[in-house]
């Protein structure tokens, strides 16, 4: 008997997740997976932070903890501490109760809830996102009913920021349009504006009443400093204007599979923030009703304790420093091989990813000949590298560039 779903076509593999599938199917002992957006140790293993294990132990050993539903907006302590972490302990917006914060399902869930809220309650339904950006961004916003436009961001010729193009495109955007900004460690390029450039972006956006929607997936993970990585967001909040911030704890606490994040909406007044929160609840209730307890409890436990918080910042800096060290080692290895071209962008870019500048043919060649897996746009995860695998990658890059040009 034929299925009522027999007309359903097979969906294409997600381009990023598909890299891991191909890697897993390769029997080669020298294979390297540089597609995955998750931290790995020098031994190539996933890392659970010591401070996370300690927090979990405390939670497990607390007999008063129950598994009841939590409120639609999530755990109150988690929300309060998350807002403080991104906006700063002395933020006037927090002191004046102008921030509505809702616990969401990591960064993706925070973006989706924010997008659904904007579609229902904001007068503009167009969102400008950087070209390129994380592959999931256009899907999240399109499915929420927003129309997606792009602004220039990356300049392939310099492997840096196309700042002029960015200003021109945002300058031509309709008044009131929403603009997605990566708070730090832009994915996939690793290219961020300087603080002076951020200030120019802020002035332009405020002059045109463009609404900033920050995606903060890497706070503390990019530079090793939680405050430095929040500077772009704080610059916008300091002028008293409004913005949205989607925040994830996947990378900076290694809580990938716990799906822990928060959406903060900074408003003009406490009254507006309270109304906004009431409407965001109506977005969440029919979507997933209320968020899970465990991951957010880990985060709240760590952020509440000054000792655990300090331990976390040390572990966070160790992760960031290892990635910086991989950048330097890869750059040095490429220089040592005399590979043609300027590769300084590897050490100039920041965060988990490097946009190598390799083209699709070169990437395919490296996969076929050297068993190195990455996305077809040449993005590599620096966290997937180790001192042991850097020489193999440098050999592959040298061969790809010299043989295929």
């Amino acid at each position: 008997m034929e299925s009522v779903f027999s007309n359903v076509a097979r969906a294409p593999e997600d381009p990023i997740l598909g890299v891991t599938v191909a890697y897993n199917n390769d029997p080669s002992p020298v294979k390297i997976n540089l597609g995955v957006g998750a931290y790995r140790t020098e031994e190539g293993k996933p890392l659970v932070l010591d401070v996370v294990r300690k927090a979990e132990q405390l939670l497990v050993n607390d007999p008063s903890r129950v598994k009841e539903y939590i409120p639609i907006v999530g755990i109150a302590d988690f929300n309060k501490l998350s807002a403080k972490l991104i906006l700063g302990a002395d933020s006037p917006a927090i002191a004046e109760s102008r921030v509505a914060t809702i616990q969401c399902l990591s960064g993706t869930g925070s973006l989706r809830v924010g997008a659904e809220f904007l579609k229902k309650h904001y007068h503009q339904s167009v969102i400008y996102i950087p070209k390129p950006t994380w592959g999931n961004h256009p899907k999240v916003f399109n499915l929420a009913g927003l129309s997606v436009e792009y602004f220039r961001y990356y300049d392939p010729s310099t492997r840096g920021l196309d700042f002029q193009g960015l200003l021109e495109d945002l300058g031509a955007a309709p008044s009131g349009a929403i603009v997605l900004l990566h708070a730090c460690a832009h994915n996939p390029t690793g290219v961020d504006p300087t603080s002076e450039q951020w200030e120019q972006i802020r002035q332009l956006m405020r002059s045109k009443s463009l609404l900033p929607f920050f995606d903060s997936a890497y706070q503390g993970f990019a530079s090793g400093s939680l405050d430095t990585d929040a500077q772009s967001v704080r610059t916008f909040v300091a002028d008293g204007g409004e913005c949205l911030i989607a925040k994830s704890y996947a990378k900076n606490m290694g809580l990938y599979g716990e799906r822990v994040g928060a959406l903060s909406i900074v408003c003009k007044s406490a009254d507006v923030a309270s109304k906004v929160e009431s409407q965001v609840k109506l977005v969440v209730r029919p979507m997933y009703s209320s968020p899970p307890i465990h991951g957010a409890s880990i985060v709240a436990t760590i952020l509440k304790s000054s000792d655990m918080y300090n331990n976390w910042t040390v572990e966070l800096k160790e992760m960031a420093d290892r990635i910086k060290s991989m950048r330097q080692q890869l750059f040095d290895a490429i220089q040592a091989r005399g590979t043609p071209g300027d590769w300084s962008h590897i050490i100039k870019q920041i965060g988990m990813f490097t946009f190598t500048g390799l083209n699709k043919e070169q990437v395919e060649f490296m996969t076929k000949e050297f068993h190195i897996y990455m996305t077809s746009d040449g993005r590599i995860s620096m966290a997937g590298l180790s001192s042991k695998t850097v020489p193999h990658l440098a050999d592959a890059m040298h061969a790809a560039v010299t043989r295929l040009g």
Side-chain angles (χ1 to χ4, degrees):
M1 198 174 143
E2 202 179 2
S3 166
V4 293
F5 302 117
S6 54
N7 63 336
V8 174
R10 183 175 303 282
E13 201 67 83
D14 180 285
I16 297 173
L17 304 181
V19 171
T20 301
V21 173
Y23 167 82
N24 290 338
N25 292 336
D26 185 343
S28 169
V30 296
K31 65 181 180 177
I32 311 174
N33 185 3
L34 301 177
V36 68
Y39 182 81
R40 294 289 179 265
T41 63
E42 177 66 23
E43 294 69 45
K45 299 279 189 288
L47 176 70
V48 179
L49 300 184
D50 290 340
V51 73
V52 165
R53 291 211 187 275
K54 190 176 167 191
E56 282 193 306
Q57 224 37 69
L58 290 172
L59 294 169
V60 168
N61 294 337
D62 179 357
S64 69
R65 283 183 60 74
V66 292
K67 302 291 187 187
E68 294 291 295
Y69 291 123
I70 55 174
I72 297 171
V73 295
I75 297 169
D77 272 351
F78 167 84
N79 290 337
K80 198 170 80 189
L81 293 161
S82 290
K84 191 171 132 183
L85 191 69
I86 188 70
L87 301 180
D90 54 355
S91 169
I94 293 175
E96 293 155 18
S97 304
R98 294 191 283 111
V99 188
T101 299
I102 294 93
Q103 179 190 333
C104 295
L105 305 182
S106 205
T108 308
S110 305
L111 289 164
R112 183 63 187 267
V113 169
E116 298 272 352
F117 166 78
L118 289 170
K119 176 63 181 161
K120 286 190 176 75
H121 299 284
Y122 187 59
H123 63 89
Q124 266 281 16
S125 63
V126 62
I127 183 163
Y128 279 72
I129 66 178
K131 189 174 178 60
T133 192
W134 180 44
N136 219 11
H137 278 146
K139 297 169 192 166
V140 167
F141 295 120
N142 273 323
L143 281 170
L146 298 175
S147 76
V148 172
E149 299 286 344
Y150 288 87
F151 63 89
R152 280 171 283 174
Y153 188 86
Y154 178 74
D155 181 350
S157 65
T158 63
R159 294 175 188 171
L161 185 67
D162 180 359
F163 190 52
Q164 213 39 54
L166 179 153
L167 293 178
E168 282 170 22
D169 290 351
L170 292 186
S175 171
I178 308 155
V179 178
L180 178 84
L181 300 165
H182 296 230
C184 67
H186 179 273
N187 175 6
T189 68
V191 172
D192 286 354
T194 63
S195 46
E196 294 75 26
Q197 288 170 332
W198 271 120
E199 178 52 25
Q200 277 182 262
I201 294 167
R202 185 195 67 78
Q203 287 176 16
L204 171 65
M205 285 181 62
R206 293 308 194 199
S207 74
K208 290 187 58 77
S209 302
L210 301 175
L211 180 65
F213 193 158
F214 284 97
D215 185 351
S216 175
Y218 299 97
Q219 188 186 352
F221 195 89
S223 68
S225 159
L226 288 156
D227 290 327
T228 301
D229 292 348
Q231 220 38 63
S232 60
V233 175
R234 292 177 190 176
T235 301
F236 276 79
V237 175
D239 67 12
E242 294 173 301
C243 65
L244 292 86
I245 308 136
K247 181 166 176 42
S248 162
Y249 289 97
K251 313 289 192 292
N252 61 11
M253 279 199 192
L255 295 172
Y256 304 94
E258 297 292 356
R259 313 309 293 139
V260 199
L263 171 69
S264 287
I265 305 179
V266 181
C267 305
K268 283 279 193 195
S269 69
D271 180 50
V272 172
S274 153
K275 288 174 181 166
V276 163
E277 183 183 294
S278 74
Q279 289 294 343
V280 176
K281 285 184 191 174
L282 298 188
V283 171
V284 169
R285 178 69 172 138
M287 198 189 276
Y288 55 84
S289 206
S290 66
I293 308 171
H294 188 66
S297 299
I298 295 170
V299 173
T301 303
I302 292 167
L303 297 183
K304 256 192 294 202
S305 152
S306 57
D307 279 355
M308 290 176 94
Y309 177 87
N310 291 336
N311 292 345
W312 172 48
T313 59
V314 171
E315 290 192 80
L316 184 50
K317 188 165 187 319
E318 284 168 1
M319 288 193 285
D321 286 348
R322 192 183 97 70
I323 288 174
K324 287 180 194 168
S325 149
M326 287 304 107
R327 287 184 180 282
Q328 191 64 53
Q329 286 181 41
L330 179 59
F331 174 73
D332 292 346
I334 290 170
Q335 293 294 96
R337 283 157 181 75
T339 307
D342 176 7
W343 297 93
S344 60
H345 58 282
I346 291 173
I347 42 180
K348 285 179 191 157
Q349 292 171 6
I350 190 169
M352 187 175 273
F353 300 109
T354 288
F355 223 40
T356 57
L358 296 165
N359 62 37
K360 198 172 178 206
E361 292 70 40
Q362 290 167 331
V363 169
E364 283 170 2
F365 168 82
M366 286 166 64
T367 301
K368 188 164 169 284
E369 301 295 327
F370 289 84
H371 306 276
I372 291 170
Y373 291 82
M374 64 181 97
T375 50
S376 60
D377 58 7
R379 182 194 87 163
I380 61 173
S381 171
M382 299 310 292
L385 272 179
S386 71
S387 303
K388 291 192 284 287
T389 55
V390 162
H392 184 56
L393 174 61
D395 286 343
M397 289 172 74
H398 183 77
V401 170
T402 51
R403 289 190 215 171
L404 301 177

